[in-house]
Amino acid sequence: MWWLIAAGGFAIALVLTTMPEFGMLAAGAVAAAAAAGLTDSLVIQVIVFAVVSTALIIVVQPIARRSRMGPPVLSTGVDALMGRTAIVLERVDGRSGRIKLAGEEWSARSLSDDDTYEPGSQVSVVEIDGATAVVM
């Protein structure tokens, strides 16, 4: 019974602090409660609690850290357009032009003032500047 009370205490601490380690300690306390149902040995119960809690912390923390540090999986909006290929509709130079990008017609200009792209050629979108695609 004491292990279940400890698990409840760890669960409450988890909710209040949002520290995932408390959830892993709660799972270890539940495992120790299961061990208490099988044996009366306090030493075995403490060992089960320590092993399960430690194993969960060692396995889960690196996975959680990687998922928090990784880049977003899905790019949306103008971020999704950068790096895409477009077709030149009207001559693109350093000041103006038109391209077909993702099925839509966009105003465009070249990244360098010296570069020009003729209709029908393919360009790559470097960035979106307002409503204008900067291409190369």
Side-chain angles (χ1 to χ4, degrees):
M1 186 60 131
W2 290 108
W3 286 112
L4 294 177
I5 293 170
F10 287 130
I12 290 170
L14 169 66
V15 171
L16 294 176
T17 64
T18 65
M19 290 181 59
E21 291 82 5
F22 283 121
M24 296 170 215
L25 292 172
V30 169
L38 299 173
T39 181
D40 289 334
S41 173
L42 183 61
V43 172
I44 292 175
Q45 295 170 27
V46 170
I47 290 172
V48 167
F49 170 74
V51 168
V52 170
S53 298
T54 303
L56 284 172
I57 290 171
I58 289 172
V59 170
V60 174
Q61 266 190 336
I63 295 169
R65 190 175 299 121
R66 272 193 305 261
S67 70
R68 279 189 304 231
M69 299 296 181
V73 177
L74 179 64
S75 296
T76 60
V78 294
D79 292 334
L81 298 175
M82 289 190 282
R84 295 202 48 188
T85 302
I87 303 294
V88 176
L89 299 175
E90 293 176 15
R91 183 177 181 194
V92 175
D93 57 25
R95 286 180 260 134
S96 65
R98 304 293 290 172
I99 61 171
K100 185 163 190 133
L101 173 63
E104 298 178 346
E105 192 171 322
W106 280 73
S107 61
R109 64 177 169 82
S110 62
L111 180 62
S112 170
D113 289 336
D114 300 333
D115 293 336
T116 59
Y117 304 98
E118 297 302 322
S121 61
Q122 288 189 343
V123 292
S124 180
V125 177
V126 177
E127 69 177 289
I128 303 294
D129 183 19
T132 303
V134 179
V135 299
M136 62 180 271

